[in-house]
Amino acid sequence: DSHIIAERLQQALERNNIADKVDIITTGCFGFCEKGPIVKIIPDNTFYTQVVPDDADEIVGEHIIGGRKIERLLYIDPKTEKTVSDSKHMDFYRKQMRIALRNCGFIDPENIEEYIALDGYMALADSLLHKKPEEVIDVIKRSGLRGRGGGGFPTGKKWEFAHKQQADMKYVVCNADEGDPGAFMDRSIMEGDPHSIVEAMAVCGYSIGSPKGLVYIRAEYPLAIQRLKIAIAQAREYGLLGKNIFGTDFSFDIEIRYGAGAFVCGEETALIHSMEGKRGEPTLKPPFPAEAGYLGKPTNVNNVETLANIPIILTKGAEWFAAIGTERSKGTKVFALAGKINNVGLIEVPMGTTLREVIYEIGGGIKGGKKFKAVQTGGPSGGCLTEKHLDTPIDFDNLLAEGSMMGSGGMIVMDEDDCMVSVSRFYLDFTVEESCGKCTPCRIGNKRLLELLNKITEGRGTMKDLDALSTLGKVIKDTALCGLGQTSPNPVLSTLNNFYDEYVEHVRDKT
Ligand code: SF4
């Protein structure tokens, strides 16, 4: 609908002979999916929600020409039941801090000049003209940025490994193979702010000594692909990609490679194999991609959200970034908030924000006034956390300590009506389907785990089956080859741990 709304607004402006005075800008996602499509009027920041194409004439006539706000399109605060016209005053946005999403919803992603106007490509210019590669890496190291794709590995250290390799060729890879069901943070960044990725990849190329960047993106993201292509072409046209950037001897260019949507190809060794035209299967590390990656050459792989943080860290400084977040997890994290929650959408909060703040303040609480039961963080192989975890500050280490994980940022909320045994079965079904089948614990172990869960959900299970679930789940975690298998039993183990009584209710013998 958004494109039709933009067209209808343009037509209404033309009919009223003011098309030369008002610009319609189609941006990326505002994050507030629950209330989309959104139309924001600048400069008064009026935030219209759930707009339909037929509202276009009224927006132009009443608001733009008449200067009167249209009450029925304004957001209604669920607590006060009053309308709110500026997003700054909405609970959904108030607790957010948008760093990776800083430009999404604000700029026209297809216009490089809008990105440049907000300090875009400053980090690249400053790095190339004023810093040695080691100095850029030092800033990223001191910022404390950790990989946002799931692993949480320190980004600066990763760059340093690749920088130190001696080789005739190195590669920078952007992992845009976002595979978690329900997660769309990387897609939103590429659709809303593609130049931040192009700039970050060029900075990384300079830092590690690579002239070539590759974006591995799933083919199901046509708009993200289109906007990345436009951004790459514009950056070339402005001399920000290509030979001798800013008149230096540094040259860098980017190519796009397409993934076919296999979840396992988000794992960096599988991703590299897929780019090489081989089966997308992980291999044991070491060697790490930083030593022997794409075509056997040193390769640095970072995911989209990680890269989106790079330019702003370099322009605002390592200390600025390191002051946000918790002791061991710096900066912010983007989450795709979904499930039985009032405000479904894409949010970005400082590390250390509690689950309660996310669910009850930003998320507006549970739908229909129902009781909160659990929140699953970390995508299909994350764990389910309960009421007792609501005040846990969210960061990489706290989530792991509680039996879940950050993953790439999926966050699915469940209410009192959800059966946790069925929930764990649902997630395991997904990982069984997505297992590449290379190693036995994951290929066979997860199938047996799923059979046990099927037996239990169908009322044929016994207490012994519950013990078997736990034992087998732990063995798979300890022995699977890659992250997919090592984390796949998390939904089962965390629900067994936190909702054991529900499992007992499903079995026959109960003793
Ligand atoms: Fe493949 Fe699963 Fe083994 Fe990973 S753990 S290599 S996805 S079979």
Side-chain angles (χ1 to χ4, degrees):
D1 270 4
S2 298
H3 285 295
I4 304 172
I5 293 167
E7 272 170 33
R8 297 277 291 270
L9 283 169
Q10 185 64 36
Q11 288 161 4
L13 292 174
E14 283 164 12
R15 270 197 304 279
N16 288 284
N17 298 320
I18 51 169
D20 56 335
K21 296 191 179 70
V22 182
D23 287 329
I24 307 282
I25 299 170
T26 48
T27 67
C29 168
F30 285 84
F32 207 172
C33 309
E34 186 74 30
K35 296 290 169 194
I38 287 160
V39 171
K40 194 167 178 179
I41 314 280
I42 307 278
D44 64 17
N45 278 334
T46 304
F47 194 87
Y48 286 137
T49 58
Q50 293 178 321
V51 177
V52 296
D54 285 346
D55 294 326
D57 279 319
E58 198 177 348
I59 291 174
V60 172
E62 275 295 296
H63 191 130
I64 296 176
I65 298 173
R68 292 176 293 274
K69 291 189 179 171
I70 304 163
E71 282 283 310
R72 72 179 174 82
L73 292 179
L74 293 175
Y75 174 75
I76 299 170
D77 185 313
K79 286 185 199 141
T80 62
E81 295 189 350
K82 290 192 176 139
T83 54
V84 183
S85 82
D86 190 330
S87 55
K88 276 206 299 281
H89 306 302
M90 292 176 192
D91 284 346
F92 182 77
Y93 287 105
R94 219 188 329 247
K95 284 234 160 180
Q96 291 197 48
M97 180 184 271
R98 291 164 83 89
I99 294 178
L101 298 175
R102 61 194 174 280
N103 292 329
C104 294
F106 290 102
I107 63 168
D108 175 356
E110 297 188 5
N111 183 345
I112 190 171
E113 293 186 0
E114 293 204 10
Y115 180 70
I116 290 172
L118 295 177
D119 291 342
Y121 291 103
M122 282 273 288
L124 180 62
D126 183 54
S127 300
L128 262 58
L129 300 173
H130 305 299
K131 288 190 175 81
K132 291 185 188 140
E134 295 84 348
E135 290 172 323
V136 180
I137 292 171
D138 183 55
V139 175
I140 303 303
K141 275 172 77 178
R142 284 190 291 108
S143 76
L145 176 68
R146 293 170 67 174
R148 301 305 198 233
F153 191 80
T155 307
K157 260 194 193 164
K158 208 175 196 183
W159 286 22
E160 190 172 50
F161 286 143
H163 169 82
K164 285 185 174 161
Q165 302 300 313
Q166 300 294 327
D168 57 353
M169 186 63 185
K170 296 182 188 179
Y171 294 95
V172 173
V173 171
C174 168
N175 181 351
D177 189 57
E178 188 169 49
D180 287 7
F184 52 100
M185 53 287 286
D186 292 350
R187 195 192 88 195
S188 278
I189 293 170
M190 291 183 288
E191 288 179 359
D193 193 18
H195 281 286
S196 67
I197 306 305
V198 171
E199 181 179 11
M201 288 179 76
V203 171
C204 179
Y206 173 68
S207 305
I208 71 165
S210 160
K212 182 90 186 171
L214 300 158
V215 180
Y216 183 84
I217 183 168
R218 50 182 47 225
E220 296 104 317
Y221 280 181
L223 184 60
I225 292 168
Q226 181 194 329
R227 290 193 166 157
L228 268 176
K229 280 184 177 169
I230 293 170
I232 292 168
Q234 288 177 342
R236 283 183 191 140
E237 197 188 315
Y238 278 65
L240 300 162
L241 285 179
K243 289 206 181 312
N244 305 110
I245 301 171
F246 292 119
T248 65
D249 57 7
F250 174 66
S251 301
F252 188 79
D253 213 338
I254 296 175
E255 258 180 49
I256 297 181
R257 299 290 169 88
Y258 303 102
F263 183 59
V264 71
C265 286
E267 198 280 339
E268 54 187 14
T269 59
L271 181 155
I272 288 167
H273 293 143
S274 171
M275 286 202 309
E276 290 170 338
K278 298 177 189 154
R279 273 182 73 122
E281 283 180 343
T283 38
L284 267 180
K285 293 187 271 194
F288 292 95
E291 304 159 282
Y294 183 62
L295 304 178
K297 304 293 181 187
T299 302
N300 180 80
V301 185
N302 289 130
N303 101 314
V304 171
E305 188 187 334
T306 312
L307 290 169
N309 281 287
I310 298 291
I312 194 163
I313 289 174
L314 289 163
T315 48
K316 292 205 172 191
E319 292 68 28
W320 166 80
F321 191 80
I324 303 161
T326 63
E327 199 188 331
R328 299 194 54 219
S329 299
K330 302 300 185 188
T332 55
K333 179 76 194 84
V334 183
F335 292 100
L337 196 54
K340 308 278 186 65
I341 193 147
N342 283 316
N343 299 337
V344 167
L346 201 63
I347 64 160
E348 182 171 0
V349 288
M351 298 274 191
T353 304
T354 64
L355 285 166
R356 191 184 298 282
E357 288 169 297
V358 168
I359 294 167
Y360 285 96
E361 295 184 38
I362 299 170
I366 310 302
K367 259 200 163 83
K370 297 231 166 156
K371 200 167 171 303
F372 166 83
K373 186 171 198 179
V375 55
Q376 208 252 4
T377 69
S381 40
C384 290
L385 302 174
T386 66
E387 184 104 36
K388 69 174 192 248
H389 302 111
L390 283 178
D391 293 311
T392 304
I394 305 167
D395 73 5
F396 286 104
D397 308 298
N398 285 344
L399 289 180
L400 269 183
E402 301 293 3
S404 187
M405 60 185 201
M406 186 79 87
S408 67
M411 196 177 268
I412 298 174
V413 178
M414 288 154 245
D415 72 12
E416 56 191 296
D417 296 336
D418 289 306
C419 164
M420 300 312 291
V421 184
S422 301
V423 165
S424 74
R425 194 195 152 286
F426 171 81
Y427 286 118
L428 193 66
D429 201 28
F430 175 83
T431 41
V432 164
E433 188 71 23
E434 292 292 333
S435 164
C436 80
K438 181 170 176 169
C439 70
T440 315
C442 176
R443 183 183 67 246
I444 299 183
N446 274 328
K447 274 215 175 103
R448 296 291 94 87
L449 208 56
L450 186 60
E451 283 165 8
L452 281 169
L453 272 176
N454 281 335
K455 196 173 157 193
I456 293 165
T457 51
E458 287 161 14
R460 297 182 287 113
T462 63
M463 292 298 282
K464 271 196 181 153
D465 291 329
L466 300 191
D467 294 340
L469 272 182
S470 170
T471 311
L472 182 54
K474 285 175 191 153
V475 170
I476 296 168
K477 265 179 91 74
D478 289 345
T479 53
L481 190 153
C482 84
L484 189 152
Q486 286 156 10
T487 55
S488 56
N490 280 347
V492 181
L493 295 175
S494 65
T495 49
L496 262 179
N497 203 13
N498 293 321
F499 298 95
Y500 190 73
D501 290 351
E502 278 193 39
Y503 279 86
V504 173
E505 272 174 38
H506 283 75
V507 299
R508 280 190 284 125
D509 50 355
K510 303 195 198 306
T511 50

